[in-house]
Amino acid sequence: DVMEHIEPDEVDTVIRNIMACVPKCFFQICLVAGDMGEMIRQTLHLSVHSHDWWYDCFERLGYTIEWHSVHDTASMFLISST
C-alpha cells in the first residue's frame, strides 16, 4: 500500500528498486483518490490508476505476474523477477 503515494514519473524507478532487493513482492495498490489529504491540504494519492494500468506497468517493466486480483478500491499483485 505504497505505490499510489509515488509521483507518477517515479513509479517505474520505485518498482525497479523494490524488485532489485527481492525475488518476489506482493503489491496492494489503492485504486481510488484518498480524502485524508484534505485535512492537511495535500494530495496523498498521486498515482491513481486502474488495475489494467498497473498490470501493464509490471509487464512492460519485464516482471512476471504470478497472481493478481482486483477489488473495488484496490489491486493486488504477486510479482517476480523471473
Side-chain angles (χ1 to χ4, degrees):
D1 194 26
V2 169
M3 296 307 301
E4 68 272 11
H5 299 283
I6 305 301
E7 293 278 354
D9 61 339
E10 296 294 325
V11 166
D12 290 3
T13 300
V14 170
I15 292 171
R16 285 187 185 113
N17 287 341
I18 291 169
M19 296 307 295
C21 298
V22 295
K24 292 184 181 186
C25 187
F26 175 79
F27 290 85
Q28 180 170 316
I29 306 167
C30 187
L31 302 175
V32 297
D35 58 2
M36 295 303 292
E38 292 174 10
M39 294 187 321
I40 59 171
R41 296 187 183 123
Q42 298 290 320
T43 301
L44 301 178
H45 287 189
L46 306 172
S47 290
V48 177
H49 303 289
S50 69
H51 179 82
D52 291 339
W53 187 94
W54 288 105
Y55 188 103
D56 293 344
C57 180
F58 290 123
E59 278 200 328
R60 176 178 50 76
L61 293 174
Y63 299 108
T64 300
I65 300 169
E66 295 192 12
W67 174 86
H68 66 100
S69 180
V70 63
H71 300 274
D72 291 340
T73 61
S75 285
M76 292 173 273
F77 296 91
L78 178 61
I79 306 301
S80 67
S81 296
T82 58

